[in-house]
Amino acid sequence: MTQKVVKTDCIMCINSCGINAYVEDGKLVKVEGMPEHTISEGYICPRGEALVEYVYSPDRLLHPMKKVNGEWERITWDEALDTIAAKLKEIKEKYGAKALAVYNGSIGTENIELAGFGQRFRGAYGTPNLLTVEGNCFRSRIMARQMTFGTQYIEEPGKSKCTIVWGRNMDNSGGLVAEKIYRALDNGTLEHLVIVDPKRIPMAARGTYIQIRPGTDTALMLGMMNVIIEEKLYDKEFIDEYTIGFDKLVEHVKEYPPEKVETITWVPAEDIRKIARIFANNKPACNVAGTAPIDQHINGFQGNRAMNLLQVITGNLNIPGSWITIPFIRLGDLRLPEVDEPIGAEEHPLFRRFWGRTSPYGQQNLFAESVLEGKPYALKAMIVNGGNPALTLPDSARIHEAMEKLEFLVVTDLFMTDTAKLADIVLPACSFLEKSGVGYVYGVTLGEPYALLRKKVVEPVGESWPDWKIWTELGRRMGYDEYFPWNSDEEVVDFFLEPSGVTREQLDKEHPEGMYYVDENSKYLIPKYRTPSGKIEIYSETLEENGYDPIPCHIEPTQSPVSSPELAEKYPVILTTGSRIPQYTHTQYRTLPSLKKDAPEPIAEVNPTTAKKYGISDGDMMSIETIKGKIEMKVHLIEELAPNVVSIPHGWTEANANLLTSADVRDPITGYTEMKALLCKIQKV
Ligand SMILES: Nc1nc2c(c(=O)[nH]1)N[C@H]1C(S)=C(S)[C@@H](COP(=O)(O)OP(=O)(O)OC[C@H]3O[C@@H](n4cnc5c(=O)[nH]c(N)nc54)[C@H](O)[C@@H]3O)O[C@H]1N2
Ligand SMILES: Nc1nc2c(c(=O)[nH]1)N[C@H]1C(S)=C(S)[C@@H](COP(=O)(O)OP(=O)(O)OC[C@H]3O[C@@H](n4cnc5c(=O)[nH]c(N)nc54)[C@H](O)[C@@H]3O)O[C@H]1N2
Ligand code: SF4
Ligand SMILES: [Mo]
């Protein structure tokens, strides 16, 4: 028997934890956390531990397939690629290149290989339509930080004296970050932990808990700034040297005294004062935002802006334990020059571009409108790459209709997902353990200038291929040979690493556990603020010129007891969707036995008092109905959740949260939809 241990990383989520993969006779047999990985230090979560089940799942797609009269038929790679190439040429001839969309899901966006090759292909084909999950995730934060600082900041809670966690149940959604916070509490570094969440999440047991009404975080932040300014707790020196517009903020936050903010947020005025003082008086301090709970609101971009300003006025930037700037690893760039504008560029111009900097993305939330109504033009074909939009995009009923109306849908995945089921052709991708790649740690909260060689651990299962090879072979059949010269994993890795200053040999032989690609302490240097003024822009003229609030205001969710009281009579309960489940990433891994056993079904959480009002008991099946649709889930009664709020997970085929959400109402700046504060009606079934 031959045995080996391969040091690589896990990318079942964005954290990229280091893992030791054990191989016997060419088969993966066990996966453990890798203690030598400087960032994850041996940490592994249930999904990482299930990697053997994942790779050898009986549900893996093993060969290309095409749909014939509603039935799947096995075909060869040659037939699949020739058919796709012919159809894509026909689409381009009939409707023009922009009728094709390349769709990158979470995996397709977070992974440089999938993201890069998808962009390469769309560039060669000539369509501007790259649609990605960043239309509902993370980019709102990136944009807001760009707009404020002209650069990217990332949180460093593991070293702070005070941390405020806004809507992030990281015991479920980011265990590695949670570990760092618990450790900082245990060793006394972290003296003040504040949790702002409608649910008393487990981490709240270790700090001050603030129960907030969903969708009102911006008001709370403005209230805190009111107190910090009123009580002169801000960092005058930092503000004077690095910022513009503080005087306008001083006037602006006068409109948000704690007593008023209490009526908006449900947070007592005294608590607002208390957490404002804690935050301002305990440097280094760090706000940690849930991605989705701050972003996925009508006012999500401004929520992110308000969070930036809290950090700025207290001078909590580029000191250990505050917000820091990570020099991004410079990787080979696969993008090609773009022509034309993608869908969404008209409705949400800043999502596409500001200060002459163009984002590569169209706004995915306008996909159905484009296909079904031809606005601003009709998409006719789509290639989905590492995503499951049939379940994860808002307003699933309409998404299904649109996908069915497409003339041609191709899906590359490891599994027959809800999206793949709607496809004309499905292509089997191999998992990250079946190919080499470049790993780097640039997570949502955990960023470090740290890179690792993602090593091929086992041979691809069945006839599955790496994504780069799928795009390359398809590109060649389209006649784009010059853009797709790569012939092996190694060539692809070398291409990506070329500008980085780090070589494959170095990562493979000298540092199989990964390494810093620049001095780790460079993250504490004050960066150049590449805004139009060269300063941190507390007041944003760019926003003002585009017709948006230059300083954040509180805007009510469009469905709320305050903004739509008539609707609230019919749909009296607040609904928040998409609470993360530790065993699953979005729609993935539902059939892996060790994960399924611990999370077998979708569960809706309700406060007992609220449930009683509607005659609902623990364990009942309950319907949840919004203006868009109705689903059913089993009920779990928990005292921890705020009264009159229902919290449900997303990603379940049998109870799809996105049958309840809508893409009609969007944050005007980003085009993000409301997923965290809707109105619903609940009933026992
Ligand atoms: N296991 C697992 N981990 C994941 C993922 C996954 O699918 N599974 N997905 C990854 C991705 S792509 C993302 S974007 C992140 C998302 O991660 P987050 O968005 O941080 O999601 P959760 O950790 O579930 O935390 C949501 C918390 O926000 C609270 N909440 C809901 N509405 C509001 C609100 O309006 N205000 C405030 N303050 N709180 C609110 C909920 O009660 C809940 O406790 O997780 C990542 N990590
Ligand atoms: N209602 C509601 N909806 C939400 C959210 C919410 O909070 N509430 N959250 C939103 C957020 S933040 C996000 S990020 C999205 C996520 O939305 P998606 O990205 O659409 O969801 P996933 O289930 O992660 O889909 C990833 C797919 O990639 C496949 N895959 C994995 N590895 C590979 C690979 O190497 N190659 C290929 N080709 N495929 C691979 C997986 O099998 C899976 O089918 O969901 C969003 N939807
Ligand atoms: S947190 Fe879990 S799923 Fe994410 S990279 Fe680490 S081990 Fe993998
Ligand atoms: Mo996300």
Side-chain angles (χ1 to χ4, degrees), residues 11 54 103-108 110-111 113-114 133-134 136-138 291-293 296 364 384-394 411-415 417 419 427-432 435 465 467 470 577-580 585-589 648-651 656-658 661 675-676:
I11 53 165
Y54 178 65
Y103 189 94
N104 278 352
S106 59
I107 300 288
E110 290 160 10
N111 179 317
E113 176 199 339
L114 272 71
V133 288
E134 291 212 12
N136 266 333
C137 174
F138 202 40
T291 345
Q296 292 164 353
Q364 55 166 11
V384 176
N385 185 28
N388 192 2
L391 268 186
T392 54
L393 278 178
V411 174
T412 71
D413 207 298
L414 282 72
F415 298 95
T417 63
T419 308
L427 301 175
C430 67
S431 78
F432 64 93
K435 61 186 173 187
W465 280 5
D467 290 275
I470 300 177
T577 75
S579 54
R580 279 15 180 192
T585 304
H586 308 292
T587 70
Q588 302 182 60
Y589 325 133
I648 61 169
H650 71 303
N656 174 6
N658 283 316
T661 55
M675 290 174 160
K676 300 291 159 188

Side-chain angles (χ1 to χ4, degrees), residues 68-84:
V68 184
N69 301 326
E71 298 290 323
W72 289 109
E73 211 172 76
R74 177 177 178 171
I75 52 173
T76 62
W77 274 103
D78 276 337
E79 183 183 345
L81 295 169
D82 286 340
T83 311
I84 298 169

Side-chain angles (χ1 to χ4, degrees), residues 8-22 28-34 42-55 172 175 432-433 581-585 589 592 594-595:
T8 185
D9 68 347
C10 168
I11 53 165
M12 304 277 267
C13 85
I14 200 173
N15 279 337
S16 299
C17 299
I19 52 172
N20 287 329
Y22 294 78
L28 179 70
V29 292
K30 189 173 71 174
V31 172
E32 287 177 344
M34 187 216 297
Y43 176 83
I44 189 165
C45 84
R47 290 165 292 170
E49 284 174 325
L51 274 167
V52 177
E53 289 171 43
Y54 178 65
V55 170
N172 288 5
F432 64 93
L433 291 159
I581 304 168
Q583 287 78 10
Y584 305 125
T585 304
Y589 325 133
L592 305 187
S594 70
L595 300 179

Side-chain angles (χ1 to χ4, degrees), residues 616 620-624 630-633 683-685:
I616 296 166
D620 280 352
M621 284 303 287
M622 168 179 94
S623 68
I624 307 146
K630 191 170 169 179
I631 62 172
E632 290 176 8
M633 281 190 191
Q683 258 175 330
K684 181 182 158 126
V685 289

Side-chain angles (χ1 to χ4, degrees), residues 241-293:
E241 184 164 358
Y242 294 111
T243 74
I244 56 161
F246 182 64
D247 50 332
K248 298 213 176 66
L249 181 69
V250 171
E251 286 308 306
H252 181 78
V253 298
K254 284 184 182 153
E255 289 168 42
Y256 295 91
E259 279 67 24
K260 179 176 161 190
V261 172
E262 172 175 341
T263 64
I264 302 173
T265 58
W266 299 349
V267 179
E270 256 335 285
D271 283 350
I272 300 172
R273 291 199 172 86
K274 181 171 136 190
I275 60 171
R277 290 173 191 144
I278 291 178
F279 188 76
N281 288 330
N282 290 284
K283 226 172 190 166
C286 174
N287 287 296
V288 174
T291 345

Side-chain angles (χ1 to χ4, degrees), residues 184-375:
L185 283 165
D186 291 342
N187 68 24
T189 312
L190 182 55
E191 293 176 21
H192 303 275
L193 175 67
V194 179
I195 305 293
V196 182
D197 197 302
K199 177 177 164 184
R200 186 185 286 273
I201 56 174
M203 190 173 265
R206 303 288 305 268
T208 303
Y209 172 57
I210 301 293
Q211 192 159 72
I212 190 169
R213 172 164 73 97
T216 63
D217 297 77
T218 311
L220 179 55
M221 295 180 216
L222 289 162
M224 288 170 67
M225 287 194 265
N226 171 295
V227 176
I228 291 170
I229 292 174
E230 185 89 353
E231 300 185 1
K232 301 211 168 359
L233 303 177
Y234 50 87
D235 185 337
K236 185 168 182 316
E237 233 172 86
F238 185 89
I239 293 168
D240 287 348
E241 184 164 358
Y242 294 111
T243 74
I244 56 161
F246 182 64
D247 50 332
K248 298 213 176 66
L249 181 69
V250 171
E251 286 308 306
H252 181 78
V253 298
K254 284 184 182 153
E255 289 168 42
Y256 295 91
E259 279 67 24
K260 179 176 161 190
V261 172
E262 172 175 341
T263 64
I264 302 173
T265 58
W266 299 349
V267 179
E270 256 335 285
D271 283 350
I272 300 172
R273 291 199 172 86
K274 181 171 136 190
I275 60 171
R277 290 173 191 144
I278 291 178
F279 188 76
N281 288 330
N282 290 284
K283 226 172 190 166
C286 174
N287 287 296
V288 174
T291 345
I294 299 298
D295 296 2
Q296 292 164 353
H297 292 291
I298 189 73
N299 199 33
F301 175 89
Q302 297 287 12
N304 280 306
R305 275 266 296 155
M307 188 171 291
N308 298 344
L309 301 188
L310 264 176
Q311 216 61 43
V312 170
I313 64 168
T314 53
N316 273 300
L317 294 170
N318 297 99
I319 47 177
S322 65
W323 281 15
I324 54 174
T325 35
I326 309 278
F328 227 139
I329 187 164
R330 294 218 322 272
L331 295 176
D333 190 351
L334 286 165
R335 283 172 303 179
L336 293 168
E338 268 180 58
V339 285
D340 259 324
E341 289 294 294
I343 59 166
E346 243 169 76
E347 291 85 344
H348 306 287
L350 293 186
F351 183 72
R352 175 68 171 155
R353 168 180 310 114
F354 54 91
W355 309 336
R357 298 175 205 172
T358 303
S359 124
Y361 305 138
Q363 182 30 284
Q364 55 166 11
N365 292 325
L366 287 121
F367 165 73
E369 195 172 299
S370 164
V371 178
L372 298 173
E373 297 171 35
K375 284 192 208 160

Side-chain angles (χ1 to χ4, degrees), residues 630-650:
K630 191 170 169 179
I631 62 172
E632 290 176 8
M633 281 190 191
K634 192 187 253 185
V635 180
H636 190 184
L637 297 187
I638 55 162
E639 297 280 355
E640 289 82 0
L641 186 64
N644 210 40
V645 177
V646 175
S647 173
I648 61 169
H650 71 303

